């Protein structure tokens, strides 16, 4: 197909509401020698995107940004020095374009899509060739668009530090994108999964995905005691901590000796966490903060996904012109799994 010279893109003119998202036309230049031009087929939304649009995102971001970090698309053109990529290849870009391996750094964080640099809620975008990974063959573009942040964050949580092993027990907070991926990865690895949610309907879906124990934290506010009961007082080996300060004390109360709490979100508000250090010390447990993952981890995750035939849970797909409606649906918290925007019509 001919190389486009323009693209329709969303820009967030103000950070007072996602209603400030506006479609506009922008030029597209040919790729430089080390770049790849990608036709974006699908974009998935993160809580980060919602927080940025409403002025609640605490990390650096540029003004009038093209939002969103997670995409799946098709290569249209490659620079003359690019090796290993061809027109027609199906790809995702890593969350931070320059985070290739090892731990994230301040510098690589500043290459994160959709905040410090322009993101992917656009029809066409240029990427450095080193930032791309191949999409598993069995996934659609909509499914693959969920991998760069939610999928890789969950993978990093379970395998990037104190890795899970068969027979472990993991506590997964909630049923959002990262949590559902964490559940799927845990079950595929022979791990016993405990899932918390405020919705019995969402817990039913978690059970269908392989969760062995279900806790409605509205009905069981002392859910940490229920976790200890389930584990015969030993606690869980791993916790995917999406609540942050608001749930951290309870997590520290039910982590097993030598266990790992992976801090990936701050959804439960502020709280007094002064008791957490001593609880972790007594249990010789670890708490690790993480921001998504590297390109090398992304490649490893995709090999795992391909090997087990995992299919991401896509809750609802919106057309490109209804991006604001997609944000509103994410804000409603009616979803389980991922909310996706279909960018391309073909």
């Amino acid at each position: 197909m001919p190389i486009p010279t323009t693209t329709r893109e969303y820009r967030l003119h103000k950070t007072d509401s996602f209603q400030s998202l506006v479609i506009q036309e922008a030029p597209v230049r040919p790729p430089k020698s080390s770049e790849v031009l990608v036709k974006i087929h699908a974009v998935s939304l993160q809580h980060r995107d919602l927080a940025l649009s409403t002025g609640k995102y605490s990390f650096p971001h540029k003004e009038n940004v093209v939002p969103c970090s997670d995409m799946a698309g098709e290569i249209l053109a490659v620079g003359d020095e690019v090796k290993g990529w061809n027109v027609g290849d199906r790809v995702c870009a890593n969350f931070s374009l320059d985070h290739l391996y090892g731990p994230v750094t301040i510098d690589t964080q500043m290459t994160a899509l959709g905040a410090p640099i322009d993101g992917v809620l656009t029809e066409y975008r240029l990427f450095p060739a080193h930032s791309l990974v191949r999409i598993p063959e069995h996934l659609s573009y909509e499914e693959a668009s969920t991998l760069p942040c939610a999928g890789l964050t969950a993978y990093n949580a379970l395998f990037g530090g104190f890795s899970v092993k068969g027979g472990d027990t993991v506590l997964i907070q909630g049923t959002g994108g990262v949590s559902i991926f964490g559940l799927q990865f845990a079950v595929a690895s022979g791990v016993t999964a405990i899932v918390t949610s405020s919705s019995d309907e969402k817990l039913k879906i978690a059970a269908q995905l392989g969760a062995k124990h279900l806790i409605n934290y509205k009905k069981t506010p002392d859910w940490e005691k229920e976790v200890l009961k389930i584990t015969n007082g030993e606690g869980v080996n791993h916790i995917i901590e999406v609540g942050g300060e608001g749930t951290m004390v309870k997590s520290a109360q039910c982590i097993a000796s030598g266990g790992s709490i992976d801090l990936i979100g701050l959804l439960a508000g502020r709280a007094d966490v002064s008791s957490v250090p001593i609880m972790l010390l007594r249990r010789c447990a670890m708490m690790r903060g993480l921001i998504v993952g590297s390109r090398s981890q992304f490649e490893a995750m995709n090999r795992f996904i391909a090997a087990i035939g995992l299919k991401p849970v896509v809750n609802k797909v919106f057309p490109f012109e209804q991006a604001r409606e997609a944000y509103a649906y994410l804000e409603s918290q009616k979803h389980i799994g991922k909310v996706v925007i279909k960018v391309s019509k073909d």
Side-chain angles (χ1 to χ4, degrees), residues 258-311:
S260 175
I261 301 173
D262 287 282
L263 176 61
I264 64 170
L266 304 167
L267 301 180
R270 305 302 298 269
D272 179 8
V273 295
S274 59
S275 61
V276 170
I278 189 63
M279 287 191 281
L280 295 179
L281 178 61
R282 286 173 178 169
R283 292 164 175 79
C284 297
M286 175 177 69
M287 180 174 290
R288 181 175 72 112
L290 61 96
I291 299 176
V292 198
S294 68
R295 189 202 66 190
S296 63
Q297 286 178 313
F298 201 159
E299 292 168 333
M301 177 187 72
N302 282 357
R303 290 193 295 270
F304 181 47
I305 287 172
I308 63 176
L310 183 145
K311 299 280 279 187

Side-chain angles (χ1 to χ4, degrees), residues 50-345:
L50 189 61
L52 177 61
S53 72
T54 55
K56 299 176 182 177
Y57 187 62
S58 57
F59 290 86
H61 58 87
K62 63 176 290 188
E63 292 184 359
N64 200 31
V65 69
V66 176
C68 300
S69 58
D70 291 20
M71 54 69 68
E74 166 191 7
I75 292 179
L76 293 186
V78 297
D80 55 17
E81 293 183 7
V82 171
K83 298 184 185 305
W85 294 113
N86 297 295
V87 172
D89 286 346
R90 302 192 321 141
V91 296
C92 293
N94 200 48
F95 176 82
S96 293
L97 297 181
D98 290 346
H99 186 194
L100 306 185
Y101 50 83
V104 68
T105 66
I106 297 299
D107 287 341
T108 56
Q109 283 186 52
M110 294 309 295
T111 67
L113 291 161
I117 68 172
D118 283 334
V120 298
L121 197 53
T122 180
E123 293 175 312
Y124 305 97
R125 195 190 191 284
L126 290 159
F127 296 94
H130 65 246
S131 69
L132 302 178
V133 300
R134 297 185 190 279
I135 293 172
E137 291 183 4
H138 70 288
L139 298 184
S140 68
Y141 284 116
E142 289 80 11
E143 291 167 336
S145 74
T146 69
L147 300 178
C149 185
L152 188 53
T153 299
Y155 184 86
N156 191 358
L158 294 177
F159 303 105
F162 179 52
S163 183
V164 298
K165 59 186 182 300
D168 282 353
T169 303
V170 60
L171 172 66
I172 298 164
Q173 296 176 352
T175 53
V178 175
S179 300
I180 291 298
F181 267 113
L183 171 58
Q184 290 177 290
F185 289 149
V187 171
S189 302
V191 173
T192 298
I194 304 170
V195 175
T196 67
S197 174
S198 62
S199 165
D200 286 338
E201 290 302 312
K202 291 181 179 181
L203 287 172
K204 288 179 183 177
I205 297 174
Q208 293 169 5
L209 292 170
K212 189 171 182 180
H213 302 283
L214 311 170
I215 303 174
N216 185 318
Y217 62 80
K218 288 282 183 68
K219 298 177 180 178
T220 308
D222 294 331
W223 52 262
E224 75 284 6
K225 296 178 181 177
E226 184 65 18
V227 171
L228 288 170
K229 181 180 176 181
I230 290 169
T231 58
N232 297 317
E234 294 185 4
V236 292
N237 305 105
H238 305 268
I239 297 176
I240 295 182
E241 173 64 70
V242 302
E245 291 182 19
T247 52
M248 198 176 290
V249 172
K250 291 180 181 293
S251 292
Q253 289 172 336
C254 63
I255 191 69
S257 178
S260 175
I261 301 173
D262 287 282
L263 176 61
I264 64 170
L266 304 167
L267 301 180
R270 305 302 298 269
D272 179 8
V273 295
S274 59
S275 61
V276 170
I278 189 63
M279 287 191 281
L280 295 179
L281 178 61
R282 286 173 178 169
R283 292 164 175 79
C284 297
M286 175 177 69
M287 180 174 290
R288 181 175 72 112
L290 61 96
I291 299 176
V292 198
S294 68
R295 189 202 66 190
S296 63
Q297 286 178 313
F298 201 159
E299 292 168 333
M301 177 187 72
N302 282 357
R303 290 193 295 270
F304 181 47
I305 287 172
I308 63 176
L310 183 145
K311 299 280 279 187
V313 177
V314 175
N315 180 251
K316 195 167 184 178
V317 179
F318 291 80
F320 185 64
E321 292 76 13
Q322 294 181 15
R324 288 188 291 270
E325 288 84 348
Y327 271 73
Y329 184 70
L330 182 70
E331 185 181 50
S332 75
Q333 298 186 339
K334 295 177 182 177
H335 65 290
I336 181 168
K338 297 297 296 179
V339 178
V340 172
I341 297 170
K342 182 176 175 61
V343 178
S344 173
K345 290 184 171 65

